[in-house]
Amino acid sequence: MAIKAEYIWIDGTQPTAKLRSKTRVLPNADKIPTWGFDGSSTNQAEGHASDRVLEPVKVVKDPIRGGDNILVLCEVFEIDGTPHVSNTRAKLRPIAEQYAAQESIFGIEQEYTFFKGSRPLGFPEGGYPAPQGGYYCGVGAEEVFGREIVELHLDRCLDAGLAICGINAEVMPGQWEFQIGPVDALTVSDDMWIARYLLYRTAEEFGIDATLDAKPARGDWNGAGAHTNFSTKAMREGYDAIITACESLGASQEKVMEHVNQYGDDIQSRLTGKHETAPWNVYSYGVSNRGASVRIPWQVEVEQKGYIEDRRPNANVDPYVVTRLLINTCCEALEKAGQV
C-alpha cells in the first residue's frame, strides 16, 4: 500500500532559515529516494539554474498523518553532489567525526512563543497582562495559554521517536519550552529540526503561530533562548575538564564573538544583562549563575563532574551550528590539555 513521505529541509532564508516540506507518494518505506526542488523559491538558487537536491538523512514516523506514513529530514546538495552553502549539517559532520572519541553529548532547551495574530497568546487586546513571574511552570487558565497545543506536540514528538525529554511553561504568557537530549550532536540537531516542524504543524491546526523570535515582546519580558547543555566524556568524569571548557569559550574576545555572532538573529536585543542573561559582548561563567554566559549547575560543582550550560544561543539558533561551535572550541581545548 502506498505511503506518504513528507520531505523536510532547511532553506536559505537569511538571517534565519525556515523549514520547508513537500509530499511524495512512495510504494513503501523500504527505500527513500533522493528528490529535488526549486531552489529559486527557497533562497537557495537563481532561476536560471534552480534545481537543488534533497538527500534523506533521517526518517521517522509521521505522527500527524499516522499509519505507515513518514517524515524524511534531508540535507540540501548542489546537482554536482557538493553540499549547498546553506547546508549547515554538512559542516557539522566532519567536526563531530574529528572529535568523536571525546563522546560529546548535548541537551537543547528550545523556548518558543505562541502568537494569535499580532499578539502573544494570552496578551489582551490593546494592553498587557500581569508582569512575568506567575506564568513560569504555571497552572490555571489565567496563567497558562496554549497547553492543548503543547501536549499534542509532545505526544507527536514521542510518537515520532524523537529524543524529547520534557516540556514546561515559560515566564511570559504564551511562551513555552521543550527539551531535546541528552544525545550526540547530529541526533540532537536532527531531532530539534523535526520537533520544530511538528511544532509549527501542530500550532497551524489551531490557527496559532509558533515563533522562535529572540525577543517576541519588547519591554520588561524575557526573551526566548535555546540554552545548550554540553559535556564530553572527560567533563562527565572530572571537574578540571569543566573549567577547561568554560575557559576555552572565553579565551579571547574573538572567540566570544565567533560564537555570539552565530548564535541566532537579534541576539543583542535578548542578551542585555537583564532577564537572566549576560551582556552579549561580555563573557562570563559561574556556578548556578543564570546571569552568566555559561552556567555550571550547582550539582556539577558538588559532584565535581557533569556538564555546562551555554545560555547565550537564541531560540532561533541553528542547532547544527551551535553544536559544531561547542565541539570545535571545547574539544580542541580539552585535547590540548590532555583531558580526553
Side-chain angles (χ1 to χ4, degrees):
M1 188 174 185
I3 65 165
K4 291 175 251 184
E6 192 70 15
Y7 280 62
I8 302 167
W9 73 98
I10 297 99
D11 78 1
T13 301
Q14 295 291 337
T16 302
K18 296 180 179 181
L19 281 166
R20 307 280 183 145
S21 76
K22 62 176 183 171
T23 307
R24 183 168 185 174
V25 176
L26 300 173
N28 54 58
D30 292 344
K31 183 178 180 181
I32 312 302
T34 59
W35 204 12
F37 68 99
D38 172 16
S40 68
S41 297
T42 64
N43 300 301
Q44 289 167 304
E46 296 182 3
H48 67 276
S50 63
D51 287 338
R52 293 295 178 265
V53 179
L54 295 175
E55 185 66 45
V57 294
K58 182 160 188 168
V59 177
V60 300
K61 289 173 55 180
D62 185 341
I64 298 176
R65 286 173 168 153
D68 293 328
N69 300 303
I70 56 176
L71 303 178
V72 183
L73 184 67
C74 301
E75 286 190 29
V76 176
F77 284 81
E78 303 280 0
I79 58 174
D80 65 2
T82 57
H84 188 269
V85 66
S86 65
N87 184 349
T88 53
R89 191 181 191 274
K91 298 172 185 175
L92 167 61
R93 284 190 277 111
I95 299 299
E97 182 177 350
Q98 179 181 349
Y99 294 105
Q102 294 198 39
E103 299 178 17
S104 296
I105 290 179
F106 292 86
I108 301 180
E109 306 167 29
Q110 177 68 74
E111 295 179 342
Y112 59 93
T113 309
F114 288 136
F115 268 70
K116 181 69 171 178
S118 61
R119 306 189 318 277
L121 194 63
F123 274 50
E125 287 190 46
Y128 291 90
Q132 64 182 36
Y135 309 105
Y136 173 70
C137 296
V139 177
E142 292 186 354
E143 295 187 340
V144 175
F145 307 91
R147 190 185 296 276
E148 65 276 19
I149 309 173
V150 173
E151 291 289 344
L152 181 55
H153 173 250
L154 174 60
D155 288 343
R156 286 174 167 176
C157 287
L158 290 170
D159 193 27
L162 306 184
I164 192 166
C165 60
I167 57 172
N168 61 269
E170 270 299 336
V171 300
M172 190 178 82
Q175 193 175 67
W176 291 82
E177 174 183 302
F178 66 85
Q179 302 93 34
I180 299 288
V183 285
D184 64 89
L186 283 169
T187 301
V188 78
S189 302
D190 290 346
D191 283 15
M192 181 60 73
W193 277 114
I194 297 172
R196 287 175 173 179
Y197 169 83
L198 290 173
L199 175 65
Y200 299 145
R201 285 284 283 102
T202 301
E204 178 185 312
E205 295 173 13
F206 292 81
I208 297 295
D209 180 41
T211 176
L212 305 184
D213 286 353
K215 194 72 172 179
R218 303 292 163 166
D220 194 18
W221 300 99
N222 277 30
H227 302 155
T228 302
N229 301 281
F230 168 74
S231 71
T232 65
K233 184 174 184 291
M235 294 166 68
R236 295 188 291 274
E237 295 176 348
Y239 199 70
D240 287 346
I242 296 284
I243 299 302
T244 297
C246 289
E247 291 284 342
S248 71
L249 292 168
S252 66
Q253 189 63 17
E254 181 181 7
K255 176 59 67 175
V256 171
M257 298 313 300
E258 176 190 1
H259 282 248
V260 168
N261 288 337
Q262 299 180 73
Y263 274 6
D265 180 50
D266 199 27
I267 200 164
Q268 295 181 26
S269 71
R270 176 176 153 265
L271 299 185
T272 62
K274 300 178 181 179
H275 304 112
E276 299 181 304
T277 69
W280 63 275
N281 58 349
V282 178
Y283 178 79
S284 61
Y285 70 90
V287 175
S288 196
N289 185 357
R290 282 178 166 77
S293 308
V294 172
R295 179 178 69 96
I296 302 173
W298 66 271
Q299 73 271 23
V300 171
E301 184 185 46
V302 170
E303 297 174 1
Q304 292 290 288
K305 60 183 179 180
Y307 67 97
I308 61 175
E309 177 195 45
D310 193 335
R311 297 180 57 78
R312 297 171 294 174
N314 274 351
N316 56 20
V317 74
D318 182 339
Y320 296 127
V321 172
V322 67
T323 53
R324 172 175 56 82
L325 289 170
L326 284 169
I327 290 174
N328 200 42
T329 296
C330 296
C331 290
E332 180 183 39
L334 289 163
E335 187 176 83
K336 287 180 179 178
Q339 296 169 331
V340 296

